Amino acid sequence: MRKVIYPGTFDPVTYGHIDIIKRAIDLFDSVAVTVAINPTKEPLFTLKERVEMLKESLSDYDNVTVESFDGLVVDYAKKVNAIGIIRGLRALSDFEYEFQMALMNRKLANDIATIFLMPHEKYTYLNSSIVRNLASLNSDVSDFVPPEVQKAFKKKFSKKRRLSHK
Ligand code: ADP
C-alpha cells in the first residue's frame, strides 16, 4: 500500500486543491488529506468546518480520507505509515517556501519524500485567501470552489454582514 498525506490549511478547499488530490489518487493507493490545526494562522473556517467541507467535496472519490493533525507533518506521516507528503506547486512564488519545507522535512525524516504536483494551468492563480476575499465581497466564486463551500461562505458572510449592520 503506497499511502501519501496531503497536508494544508484548506481554509477553504478550492478546485485547485481538488485537482492536486485527483492527480495524487492516480499515482498512489491512498491519499489522506490532513487538515492542519494551525496555530500560526487565524483561519476563517473552524477545523470542523474545513474537515466537513473537504469530506463533502471528496465524497465521490475512493481511497481518499480526510483527517486533522497537530504537530510535525513528518511525525504524522510516519504515524499513519505514509511514504510521502504531497504539496501543490502553482508558480515560482510557491517554490522558495516549499523548497525550504521539503528540505527541512527531509532532514527531519529522510525516508519521507515530498512529492510536488502541478495543477491545471487554470488553477495556478487560485488560492484560498483570494477566494475568501472575493466571497466576503459577495462575488461569485462558483468557478473556484465546490457548491458545499459556496454555501458555507454564504452562511458565514451573511451572518457577519447581519452582525456588522447591528
Ligand atoms: P498551507 O497553509 O499549508 O499552504 P493550503 O491549504 O494553502 O495550506 O495549501 C495546501 C497545499 O495545496 C500547498 O502545497 C499549496 O501550495 C497547495 N495549493 C493551494 N492552492 C492550490 C492551487 N490552486 N493549485 C495547486 N496547489 C494548490
Side-chain angles (χ1 to χ4, degrees):
M1 270 292 273
R2 292 166 74 80
K3 174 176 181 170
V4 287
I5 65 169
Y6 178 35
T9 312
F10 304 102
D11 186 33
V13 57
T14 68
Y15 285 137
H17 294 125
I18 294 174
D19 179 289
I20 296 291
I21 293 165
K22 284 192 207 158
R23 288 171 202 275
I25 298 171
D26 288 345
L27 294 169
F28 299 96
D29 299 314
S30 88
V31 179
V33 180
T34 50
V35 187
I37 306 173
N38 198 333
T40 57
K41 284 188 184 174
E42 171 89 42
L44 172 68
F45 291 102
T46 65
L47 177 68
K48 196 165 160 247
E49 288 170 329
R50 285 179 280 144
V51 167
E52 208 46 49
M53 284 186 280
L54 274 160
K55 280 190 176 160
E56 285 169 6
S57 318
L58 297 168
S59 60
D60 289 346
Y61 300 105
D62 293 332
N63 310 325
V64 178
T65 57
V66 181
E67 299 157 18
S68 57
F69 81 102
D70 209 358
L72 279 176
V73 171
V74 285
D75 287 345
Y76 190 78
K78 279 186 189 166
K79 192 174 131 196
V80 298
N81 293 321
I83 57 162
I85 299 166
I86 298 288
R87 295 290 288 175
L89 261 193
R90 283 160 292 191
L92 215 54
S93 50
D94 280 339
F95 183 77
E96 181 88 36
Y97 172 73
E98 294 291 343
F99 185 67
Q100 279 179 5
M101 285 274 291
L103 290 182
M104 179 52 83
N105 282 336
R106 191 160 72 189
K107 171 92 180 116
L108 294 171
N110 195 33
D111 50 342
I112 305 282
T114 299
I115 302 114
F116 292 108
L117 296 175
M118 279 158 294
H120 190 281
E121 305 85 83
K122 67 183 174 194
Y123 299 130
T124 48
Y125 61 91
L126 183 55
N127 68 54
S128 298
S129 131
I130 291 184
V131 177
R132 284 198 304 274
N133 278 337
L134 288 173
S136 75
L137 299 168
N138 224 354
S139 174
D140 176 17
V141 289
S142 54
D143 281 348
F144 311 128
V145 294
E148 299 79 14
V149 178
Q150 292 167 47
K151 264 189 238 145
F153 268 136
K154 284 217 172 84
K155 210 168 132 194
K156 181 116 345 206
F157 287 120
S158 62
K159 202 165 147 195
K160 281 202 170 162
R161 274 184 215 109
R162 267 203 317 276
L163 288 173
S164 69
H165 284 134
K166 272 190 181 162

